[in-house]
């Protein structure tokens, strides 16, 4: 409640303007009192002042609410406003400006800091005193609020006169701090924020007067700095460290004293001056550049490089390029190590070593990417590109994989090596399943880099078929299944359908055998002379096997016939063809030094059984009796006579290793080996060529089918489009040679599936 | 499409002749001289046809002017150039290899308003002009010749025939003819299998549109053999 209220009401109609002047004087007095307090250094006036301010408020209120103003044609509110303004102006001009203008340098900062704080207080209390005006008078949009009005006074009276000096001092301070000196951050901050406040709810003044210049100065400063650093000895090595330090420093400073909006452009200025022009130099620097860091595996340095260059547009691309080149180089080195390495044994160890080292290389970079490069995809892409280069060499490339063979150096493909590696891993029977699974998972990652995936499929099928036929434990089957599952996820079910078929056959085999045994027991006539376990393969799933005309010994014959009878009864309209080249048997013999059990192939077993009839066997006769090609007989006898376990020997005892038609062989009665049971390995033909050839053949069909499919749906297509589309559709399986595609097109034209367009030679048309 | 390509060898299978309105020129003759309507004089065309067709053959084969006859006709008309004489079967669109059937002869020549010896001669001149004009027309002629020249009934043209006629037809139109013949003599599958229609035709396209070897793109729609040729030729230089 206002103490003067009743008084005011009483004199409502009768007070003349002189009263106004009297009341005004009260206001002026209050104002001066306020100034005294503030200049006296007191920031918070005493409680009494508050009461007095309330009085001032009441005065204003009274003056304004009188109606006589309207009668006299005087707008008291406007008058009060005008006078308040001039009060403030006078004070500023007479006292404040004079003080401030004289100062320079840091003293200026201090003075500004003080005056601005003071002015804030003045604004606060004056506003309180004249608050009534704010409630009504200044609501009009053309009239500034008291705060704004007073700010504007400060702006024109003080700020405009000192702003250039002030700016100069601010910039000098910042530069000084950059150079390493300490400055008074508090006053600096307040000076900077003065610029902001002078914008009156916009940042325009700040932006124009301060920020622009600051950024320009920053640029110049760092331009010089960067040149200086580079010129120093060893400067290139430490450049990035310094740059990062500076960036952090500027960031901290911006947070503490600048407007939040400045941080972005400021840091960008740093990026533009410190980083962008020097990216290449830093990347290519011989000792501390990207290549060098990769070489010495300094992940921390790489991390810094990554952090900094990701700030600059296109910076990471250059870095990724170097990473790719480096990985490529390392990979090619692995290739040549393989090619020149030991071809001593069957080269199997070499393939394992090679694949293992590829996987290690891959892992090394996974670690790097995760730890230091934030798994940024530009690097994973680079690694993929690099791997694809050295994993898929062309025959003519210097880093092609080669292996020594009988006829010189042979080209080996990664498809084969990887398949062989997986083969060895599965056969090895590791202790822990997780370990095995982890290795297999990685090998599948490597698989995705291979271009000739169809060739891998061929090798894998061949090797898996052998695994399935020799080893029948459940654990192995589970592993096979899991591996196929992994491949299926990457390639789709079409790729793995045959493999799954093979597995299915394997699991049915037990089933069949059980039923076969039942059949035998129920059929009293059928008693097999030897232990017999057949396995049925469905033709479409398994790789093609050569059929032979082997005439097996009597004991075997009985078993085969029995099984054929059973199978004909158990199934409908199926034809069984025996593939003896795949079978194996156990043959026992009582040698002079003890009985022995030999694990041999079916062929070997048939040859050995011949010796039951006659002590000495002529090679030619063996060939005729067994009805096998001479090459096969030769190989088989060779493995029995000149291998690690020579169970037969030449009748004439000559020391030759060649087997001829006319040679006679007898059992080596003196044969001895320590173990009771052992395996006589048969000579395995070199399959690489045949598998590669089969694959080429298959590709021809695949390409043709693809071309026909494309043309059928598109009807007419230009040559380039057809080729591009074909390559695209086949890319997930293999990368076709342009030449082969053209040849297939020609062939299809010949066979009238397609024709060339009459008018446009470049166009093909589908012929229904 | 292949059913019309029949062997020209004597004593081989009987060709299946297409009887195209054969009654037009016969006049009831049935190839037996002047039986029937004897009082009409023979037209020039009829005279010529009778002169050049091969009467030593039997039945249907008699109604065709075979190779010997064609060559003889050329001599008679003063057309010495081997290639020029081929213009006639092209104009008549003869579908036998080295044979002009009765129907084709009469129909075609009548349509071309050729009724006499003299006019036939001038037809050759006209055709020569036609073909020497734009490369497209020559291309058509050249392309037609694949089936006409191909005596063997197999799928491909015999390499020696191809070589012979490439020399004759493309001497002035193929910049690299010499290199081509050198290369292709020993190249597979040309050597063993011969020339496919596509290769025959595309070779002309190649000849007509390739200014220099350097400009050739190996990934274009040309047959692989031509690509190989360019590679070989470039290496030689």
């Amino acid at each position: 409640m206002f103490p003067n209220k009743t008084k005011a009401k009483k004199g409502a109609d009768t007070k003349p303007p002189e009263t106004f002047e009297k009341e005004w004087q009260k206001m002026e007095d209050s104002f001066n009192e306020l100034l005294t307090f503030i200049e006296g250094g007191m920031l918070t006036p005493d409680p009494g002042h508050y009461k007095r301010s309330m009085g001032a408020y009441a005065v204003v209120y009274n003056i304004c609410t009188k109606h006589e103003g309207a009668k006299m044609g005087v707008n008291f509110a406007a008058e009060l406003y005008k006078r308040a303004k001039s009060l403030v102006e006078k004070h500023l001009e007479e006292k404040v400006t004079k003080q401030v203008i004289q100062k320079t340098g840091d003293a200026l900062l201090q003075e500004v800091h003080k005056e601005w704080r003071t002015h804030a207080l003045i604004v606060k209390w004056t506003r309180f005193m004249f608050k009534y005006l704010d409630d009504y008078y200044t609501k009009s949009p053309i009239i500034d609020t008291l705060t704004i009005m007073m700010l504007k006074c400060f702006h024109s009276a003080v700020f405009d006169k000192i702003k250039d000096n002030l700016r100069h001092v601010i910039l000098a301070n910042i530069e000084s701090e950059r150079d390493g000196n300490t400055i008074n951050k508090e006053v600096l901050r307040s000076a900077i924020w003065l610029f902001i406040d002078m914008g009156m709810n916009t940042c325009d003044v700040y932006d124009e007067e301060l920020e622009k210049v600051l950024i320009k100065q920053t640029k110049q400063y760092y331009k010089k700095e960067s040149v200086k650093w580079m010129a120093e000895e060893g400067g290139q090595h430490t450049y990035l460290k310094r740059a990062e330090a500076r960036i952090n420093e500027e960031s901290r400073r911006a947070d503490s004293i600048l407007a939040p909006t400045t941080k972005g452009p400021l840091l960008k200025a740093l990026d533009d001056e410190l980083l962008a022009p020097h990216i290449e130099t830093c990347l290519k620097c011989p000792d501390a550049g990207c290549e060098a860091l990769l070489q010495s595996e300094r992940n921390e340095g790489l991390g810094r490089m990554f952090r900094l260059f990701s700030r600059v547009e296109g910076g990471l691309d250059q870095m990724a390029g170097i990473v790719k080149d480096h990985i490529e180089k390392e990979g090619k080195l692995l290739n040549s190590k393989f090619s020149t390495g030991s071809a001593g044994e069957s080269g199997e160890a070499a393939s394992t070593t090679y694949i293992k080292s590829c996987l290690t290389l891959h892992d090394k970079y996974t670690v790097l990417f995760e730890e230091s490069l934030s798994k940024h995809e530009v690097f994973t892409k680079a690694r993929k590109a690099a791997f694809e280069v050295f994993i898929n060499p062309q025959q003519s490339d210097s880093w092609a994989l080669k292996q020594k063979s009988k006829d010189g150096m042979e080209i080996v493909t990664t498809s084969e090596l990887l398949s062989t590696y997986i083969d060895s891993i599965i056969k090895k029977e590791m202790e822990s399943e997780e370990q095995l699974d982890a290795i297999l998972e990685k090998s599948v990652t490597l698989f995705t880099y291979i271009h000739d995936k169809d060739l891998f499929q061929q090798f894998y099928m061949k090797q898996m078929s052998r695994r399935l036929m020799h080893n029948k434990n459940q654990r192995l089957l589970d592993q096979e299944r899991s591996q196929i599952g992994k491949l299926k996820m990457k390639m789709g079910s079409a790729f793995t359908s045959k493999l799954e078929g093979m597995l299915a056959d394997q699991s049915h085999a037990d089933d069949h055998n059980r039923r076969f045994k039942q059949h035998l027991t129920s059929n009293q006539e059928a008693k097999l002379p030897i232990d017999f376990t057949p396995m049925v393969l469905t033709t479409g799933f398994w790789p093609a096997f050569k059929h032979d005309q082997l005439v097996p010994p009597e004991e075997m014959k009985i078993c085969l016939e029995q099984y054929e009878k059973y199978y004909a009864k158990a199934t409908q309209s199926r034809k069984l063809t025996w593939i003896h080249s795949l079978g194996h048997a156990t043959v026992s013999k009582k040698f002079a030094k003890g009985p022995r059990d030999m694990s041999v192939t079916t062929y070997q077993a048939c040859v050995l059984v011949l010796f039951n009839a006659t002590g000495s066997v002529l090679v030619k006769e063996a060939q005729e009796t067994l009805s096998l090609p001479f090459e096969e007989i030769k190989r088989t006898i060779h493995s029995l006579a000149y291998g690690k376990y020579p169970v037969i020997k030449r009748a004439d005892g000559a020391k030759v290793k060649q087997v001829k038609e006319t040679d006679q062989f007898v059992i080596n009665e003196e044969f001895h080996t320590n173990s009771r049971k052992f395996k006589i390995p048969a000579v395995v033909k070199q399959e690489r060529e045949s598998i590669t050839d089969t694959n080429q053949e298959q590709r021809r069909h695949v390409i043709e089918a693809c071309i026909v499919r494309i043309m059928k749906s598109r009807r007419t297509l230009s040559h380039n489009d057809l080729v591009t589309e074909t390559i695209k559709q086949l890319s997930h399986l293999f990368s076709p040679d342009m030449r082969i595609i053209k040849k297939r097109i020609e062939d299809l034209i010949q066979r009238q599936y397609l024709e060339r367009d009459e008018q446009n030679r470049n166009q093909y048309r589908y012929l229904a | 499409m292949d059913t019309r390509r029949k062997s020209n060898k004597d004593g081989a299978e009987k060709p299946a002749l297409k009887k195209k309105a054969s009654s037009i020129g016969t006049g009831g003759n049935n190839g037996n001289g002047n039986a029937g309507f004897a009082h009409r004089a023979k037209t020039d065309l009829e005279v010529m046809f009778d002169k050049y067709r091969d009467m030593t053959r039997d039945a249907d084969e008699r109604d065709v002017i075979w190779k010997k006859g064609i060559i003889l006709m050329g001599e008679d008309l003063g057309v010495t150039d081997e290639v020029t004489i081929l213009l006639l079967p092209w104009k008549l669109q003869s579908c036998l290899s080295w044979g002009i059937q009765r129907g084709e002869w009469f129909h075609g020549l009548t349509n071309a308003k050729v009724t006499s010896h003299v006019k036939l001669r001038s037809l050759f001149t006209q055709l020569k002009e036609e073909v020497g004009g734009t490369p497209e027309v020559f291309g058509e002629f050249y392309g037609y010749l694949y089936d006409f020249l191909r005596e063997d009934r197999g799928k491909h043209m015999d390499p020696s025939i191809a070589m012979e006629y490439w020399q004759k037809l493309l001497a002035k139109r193929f910049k690299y003819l010499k290199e081509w013949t050198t290369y292709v003599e020993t190249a597979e599958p040309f050597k063993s299998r011969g020339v496919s229609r596509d290769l025959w035709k595309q070779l002309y396209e190649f000849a007509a549109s390739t200014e220099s070897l350097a400009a050739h793109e190996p990934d274009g729609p040309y047959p692989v053999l031509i690509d190989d040729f360019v590679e070989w030729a470039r290496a030689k230089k």
Side-chain angles (χ1 to χ4, degrees):
Chain A
M1 296 317 289
F2 308 109
N4 293 352
K5 193 176 164 193
T6 41
K7 225 195 208 173
K9 266 200 177 152
K10 256 196 199 162
D13 309 301
T14 52
K15 285 272 162 63
E18 298 91 52
T19 328
F20 174 80
E21 291 300 337
K22 223 165 87 183
E23 299 296 307
W24 171 250
Q25 194 52 49
K26 287 190 196 154
M27 298 303 299
E28 201 166 328
D29 291 338
S30 284
F31 186 72
N32 289 326
E33 222 179 293
L34 173 64
L35 288 183
T36 321
F37 268 117
I38 291 175
E39 275 160 22
M42 297 184 60
L43 299 171
T44 342
D46 61 289
H49 180 82
Y50 181 72
K51 216 163 133 194
R52 288 188 289 278
S53 302
M54 291 295 281
Y57 177 88
V59 170
V60 173
Y61 177 83
N62 288 336
I63 297 180
C64 290
T65 48
K66 291 214 183 99
H67 297 297
E68 58 180 43
K71 282 195 210 156
M72 286 190 264
V74 177
N75 186 342
F76 281 135
E79 186 64 29
L80 282 176
Y81 185 86
K82 198 172 89 189
R83 290 189 187 203
K85 183 166 173 204
S86 54
L87 268 186
V88 174
E89 278 173 351
K90 201 170 103 180
H91 160 75
L92 286 178
E93 276 159 21
E94 284 175 8
K95 302 225 190 86
V96 177
T97 311
K98 286 212 181 83
Q99 293 275 15
V100 170
I101 272 211
Q102 291 167 3
K103 306 281 196 299
T104 54
D106 282 353
L108 175 62
L109 280 184
Q110 295 280 11
E111 189 65 35
V112 165
H113 176 67
K114 178 171 136 235
E115 293 302 341
W116 179 240
R117 241 186 0 188
T118 314
H119 188 75
L121 278 174
I122 295 178
V123 169
K124 174 177 164 190
W125 287 105
T126 314
R127 190 176 163 272
F128 186 74
M129 292 198 302
F130 287 86
K131 190 164 185 305
Y132 190 76
L133 293 179
D134 257 351
D135 289 339
Y136 290 96
Y137 179 60
T138 63
K139 292 281 194 211
S140 161
I142 52 169
I143 298 177
D144 293 328
T145 64
L146 288 169
T147 318
I148 298 286
M149 179 266 284
M150 287 188 269
L151 280 183
K152 279 193 177 168
C153 293
F154 190 88
H155 189 291
S156 47
V158 182
F159 183 73
D160 269 341
K161 300 197 172 75
I162 55 144
K163 69 181 177 192
D164 288 327
N165 269 340
L166 191 58
R167 180 191 318 127
H168 187 79
V169 175
I170 291 175
L171 292 179
N173 259 281
I174 293 183
E175 181 142 347
S176 171
E177 195 186 44
R178 283 177 178 156
D179 285 337
N181 305 319
T182 21
I183 55 170
N184 188 337
K185 273 213 152 96
E186 201 197 332
V187 302
L188 182 63
R189 186 180 194 284
S190 120
I192 291 176
W193 279 81
L194 169 61
F195 278 80
I196 295 177
D197 288 333
M198 286 288 98
M200 328 232 186
N201 294 337
T202 70
C203 265
D204 293 346
V205 174
Y206 172 80
D207 285 346
E208 265 305 304
E209 304 287 346
L210 189 57
E211 189 185 80
K212 238 169 52 175
V213 188
L214 173 63
I215 303 245
K216 197 162 123 203
Q217 181 223 34
T218 309
K219 279 173 101 89
Q220 281 171 345
Y221 181 81
Y222 282 109
K223 202 191 217 115
K224 271 204 311 238
E225 278 292 286
S226 72
V227 171
K228 195 173 85 183
W229 292 347
M230 275 300 185
E232 282 175 23
E233 199 169 309
Q236 287 181 3
H237 294 208
T238 49
Y239 188 87
L240 287 180
K241 243 199 200 131
R242 282 166 150 177
E244 194 170 37
R246 281 299 194 170
I247 290 180
N248 290 341
E249 176 198 323
E250 290 292 332
S251 178
R252 277 195 303 272
R253 180 179 307 116
D255 282 337
S256 64
I257 61 175
L258 297 176
T261 50
T262 311
K263 185 166 168 187
L266 182 72
L267 291 182
K268 177 147 190 322
L270 256 90
D271 293 340
D272 288 341
E273 294 304 322
L274 278 185
L275 297 178
H278 301 282
I279 286 188
E280 221 173 305
T281 327
C282 287
L283 281 177
K284 302 222 172 112
C285 159
D287 291 322
C290 190
E291 172 83 29
L293 292 178
L294 286 169
Q295 193 97 306
S296 45
E297 300 188 19
R298 268 133 68 191
N299 290 4
E300 193 220 321
L302 289 167
R304 180 177 308 115
M305 224 179 234
F306 168 70
R307 279 196 301 278
L308 292 177
F309 290 160
S310 42
R311 303 168 68 93
V312 180
E313 209 176 297
L316 282 187
D317 292 329
Q318 280 199 40
M319 190 174 166
I322 297 188
V323 171
K324 168 183 177 283
D325 289 337
H326 182 79
I327 300 180
E328 212 179 290
K329 235 188 355 202
E330 286 183 289
K332 287 183 184 170
L333 191 63
L334 292 179
N335 281 20
S336 54
K337 269 205 194 129
F338 172 84
S339 298
T340 59
S342 62
E345 303 118 286
S346 60
E348 203 148 310
S351 83
T352 313
T353 323
Y354 175 74
I355 299 288
K356 264 205 194 129
S357 39
C358 285
L359 293 177
T360 315
L361 182 68
H362 197 263
D363 282 342
K364 180 171 89 164
Y365 285 98
T366 311
V367 170
L368 171 66
F369 295 163
E370 276 178 16
E371 276 180 11
S372 313
L373 303 180
S374 295
K375 296 201 233 181
H376 198 289
E377 66 166 13
V378 72
F379 294 105
T380 11
K381 280 207 189 122
R383 174 175 63 180
K384 177 168 186 280
F387 265 74
E388 283 187 358
V389 167
F390 75 83
I391 291 242
N392 300 296
Q394 303 289 345
Q395 285 202 0
S396 49
D397 288 329
S398 60
W399 64 93
L401 297 164
K402 296 195 183 69
Q403 210 177 41
K404 236 193 266 186
S405 74
K406 287 187 295 189
D407 319 304
M409 294 301 261
E410 241 184 12
I411 295 281
V412 177
T413 56
T414 319
S415 311
E416 184 188 341
L417 293 178
L418 184 61
S419 179
T420 312
Y421 174 73
I422 298 180
D423 183 56
S424 68
I425 292 286
I426 293 187
K427 286 204 285 226
K428 200 149 81 165
E429 298 214 26
M430 304 207 142
E431 292 86 40
S432 91
E433 263 195 50
E434 289 96 38
Q435 237 189 347
L436 179 67
D437 206 58
I439 296 182
L440 289 180
E441 186 74 47
K442 289 202 194 134
S443 64
V444 173
T445 314
L446 204 60
F447 165 76
T448 51
Y449 296 135
I450 294 181
H451 282 170
D452 292 342
K453 296 192 173 74
D454 60 345
L455 189 59
F456 172 86
Q457 186 191 34
Q458 295 282 0
F459 278 106
Y460 194 79
M461 271 175 64
K462 199 74 187 234
Q463 288 166 339
M464 180 170 139
S465 69
R466 248 187 256 126
R467 287 200 295 273
L468 288 180
M469 286 189 276
H470 286 207
N471 218 333
K472 295 179 205 262
N473 67 61
Q474 187 56 35
R475 185 141 169 256
L476 184 80
L477 290 182
D478 288 338
Q479 281 159 2
E480 299 278 2
R481 199 162 291 130
S482 113
Q483 180 65 356
I484 292 176
K486 294 196 199 352
L487 288 173
K488 190 167 168 177
M489 271 212 290
K490 295 270 181 191
M491 297 298 295
S493 53
F495 190 78
T496 51
S497 62
K498 287 197 181 146
L499 301 172
E500 290 180 322
M502 287 201 265
L503 264 190
D505 278 347
Q506 169 70 288
S507 47
H508 289 156
D510 290 336
D511 216 30
H512 266 298
N513 282 333
R514 227 181 344 104
R515 283 196 258 143
F516 180 53
K517 293 245 165 36
Q518 275 178 352
H519 165 96
L520 286 180
T521 48
S522 61
N523 266 348
Q524 286 308 332
E525 46 153 90
K527 172 113 170 73
L528 298 181
I530 51 179
D531 247 338
F532 174 66
T533 315
M535 183 168 152
V536 180
L537 315 175
T538 313
T539 313
F541 298 147
W542 298 74
F545 299 113
K546 271 215 311 257
H547 297 183
D548 55 49
Q549 309 297 328
L550 176 68
V551 177
E554 197 53 42
E555 302 94 330
M556 258 193 241
K557 230 189 248 171
I558 298 179
C559 300
L560 301 182
E561 279 166 10
Q562 277 302 325
Y563 193 78
E564 280 169 3
K565 266 205 222 137
Y566 152 76
Y567 197 77
K569 257 210 320 216
T571 64
Q572 260 123 353
S573 57
R574 296 216 194 146
K575 178 163 174 281
L576 277 184
T577 311
W578 296 100
I579 313 278
H580 294 290
S581 53
L582 299 176
H584 50 271
T586 316
V587 176
S588 313
K589 161 110 189 105
K590 284 205 185 66
F591 287 99
K593 304 220 170 110
R596 292 282 176 270
D597 297 326
M598 302 169 276
S599 254
V600 291
T601 64
T602 306
Y603 288 169
Q604 288 170 325
C606 292
V607 167
L608 289 176
V609 165
L610 288 177
F611 288 90
N612 279 349
T614 96
S616 163
V617 173
L618 180 66
V619 173
K620 190 157 189 301
E621 274 174 27
Q623 184 191 352
E624 282 166 7
T625 318
L626 296 177
S627 181
L628 282 175
F630 177 64
E631 274 307 311
E632 199 63 58
I633 293 278
K634 195 169 113 169
R635 258 199 295 271
T636 313
I637 293 189
H638 196 282
S639 67
L640 293 171
Y642 301 121
K644 191 166 167 202
Y645 302 101
V647 291
I648 63 177
K649 62 178 182 192
R650 284 180 68 99
D652 55 12
K655 295 278 189 221
V656 279
K657 285 223 171 163
Q658 310 296 340
V659 175
K660 291 200 301 289
E661 275 192 340
T662 50
D663 291 340
Q664 294 265 33
F665 281 84
V666 294
I667 298 198
N668 181 8
E669 296 288 349
E670 300 306 313
F671 170 75
H672 175 72
T673 184
N674 282 332
S675 35
R676 168 72 192 257
K677 217 169 175 251
F678 56 92
K679 181 165 175 241
I680 304 187
V683 177
V684 176
K685 283 194 300 196
Q686 179 57 280
E687 309 175 299
R688 181 177 299 140
E689 205 180 311
S690 66
I691 292 187
T692 319
D693 288 342
T694 320
N695 196 43
Q696 288 291 77
E697 173 90 32
Q698 193 181 295
R699 275 193 193 174
R700 281 205 278 272
H701 296 300
V702 171
I703 295 179
E704 276 191 4
C706 188
I707 294 177
V708 171
R709 202 173 46 235
I710 295 174
M711 289 304 296
K712 190 163 177 184
S713 73
R714 308 281 282 271
R715 292 284 142 175
T716 80
L717 208 53
S718 79
H719 173 86
N720 283 342
D721 284 344
L722 177 60
V723 170
T724 315
E725 189 65 32
T726 309
I727 293 184
K728 195 167 95 177
Q729 287 199 10
L730 295 175
S731 63
H732 72 284
L733 258 190
F734 61 93
S735 53
D737 193 26
M738 170 72 77
R739 218 190 122 90
I740 298 187
I741 297 183
K742 277 182 73 164
K743 261 214 123 35
R744 291 297 102 215
I745 295 179
E746 271 176 58
D747 215 63
L748 287 171
I749 293 180
Q750 179 69 22
R751 281 147 53 199
Q752 296 177 350
Y753 280 87
L754 314 172
E755 64 176 4
R756 284 187 206 264
D757 187 80
E758 287 303 314
Q759 275 73 38
N760 182 1
R761 206 177 43 74
N762 224 330
Q763 198 98 335
Y764 299 111
R765 245 184 302 141
Y766 179 70
L767 293 173
Chain B
M1 233 158 77
D2 257 322
T3 50
R4 297 188 299 184
R5 295 285 126 254
K6 297 301 170 196
S7 165
N8 194 11
K9 294 192 176 108
D10 291 329
E13 305 139 74
K14 290 235 175 272
L17 295 180
K18 228 177 80 155
K19 297 240 170 235
K20 232 196 310 188
S22 54
S23 56
I24 294 181
T26 312
N29 264 356
N30 277 355
N32 277 334
N34 279 345
F37 305 77
H39 48 268
R40 182 174 67 74
K42 276 209 188 156
T43 65
D44 266 8
L45 290 188
E46 287 170 344
V47 168
M48 284 194 278
F49 188 75
D50 281 339
K51 178 173 181 193
Y52 299 123
R53 66 180 170 148
D54 193 347
M55 293 299 282
T56 63
R57 304 204 186 195
D58 23 89
D60 288 339
E61 288 196 11
R62 283 183 181 175
D63 260 355
V64 179
I65 305 178
W66 294 105
K67 189 168 184 179
K68 262 203 312 211
I70 294 178
I71 296 181
L72 184 58
M73 175 180 13
E75 282 169 17
D76 285 349
L77 292 173
V79 176
T80 46
D81 182 13
E82 267 224 42
V83 171
T84 317
I85 193 61
L86 293 172
L87 287 167
L88 182 62
W90 172 59
K91 180 72 184 173
L92 303 179
Q93 289 291 298
S94 304
C95 38
L96 290 184
S97 171
W98 278 112
I100 302 179
Q101 291 179 75
R102 175 182 287 273
E104 290 160 355
W105 173 267
F106 283 98
H107 208 89
L109 287 181
T110 316
N111 277 345
K113 310 241 187 325
V114 169
T115 46
S116 68
H117 198 94
V118 170
K119 290 220 181 114
L120 184 58
R121 237 209 198 113
S122 60
L123 176 68
F124 275 101
T125 324
Q126 178 198 333
L127 289 175
K128 227 172 152 178
E129 244 176 69
E130 224 176 286
V131 138
T134 55
E136 278 91 38
V137 182
F138 184 84
E140 247 185 67
F141 170 56
Y142 167 88
Y144 163 80
L145 285 178
Y146 180 77
D147 288 313
F148 189 77
L149 297 173
R150 185 166 57 115
E151 300 178 19
D152 198 323
R153 80 166 47 244
K155 279 197 168 174
H156 288 188
M157 181 191 264
D158 186 72
S160 52
I161 298 183
M163 293 286 262
E164 188 190 333
Y165 281 93
W166 275 333
Q167 290 288 7
K168 292 183 180 156
L169 291 165
L170 298 178
K172 296 208 183 75
R173 293 170 184 266
F174 188 11
K175 193 163 148 189
Y176 302 102
L177 179 62
K178 193 151 152 272
E179 291 90 338
W180 170 256
T181 40
T182 317
Y183 172 74
V184 106
E185 239 173 356
T186 52
E188 289 297 348
F190 174 82
K191 205 167 74 166
S192 49
R193 286 218 299 176
V195 178
S196 67
R197 187 176 290 119
D198 192 51
L199 180 62
W200 174 267
K201 281 202 175 144
Q202 292 302 307
L203 184 66
Y204 176 70
E205 293 287 345
F206 179 71
S209 51
T210 304
E211 286 305 319
S212 77
L213 288 180
H216 175 88
E217 278 174 22
D219 292 345
Y222 285 114
V224 172
L225 192 60
I226 295 186
D227 291 337
D228 289 346
F229 162 66
V230 173
E231 205 181 305
W232 170 88
R234 279 188 195 155
K236 275 195 73 183
K237 298 237 163 102

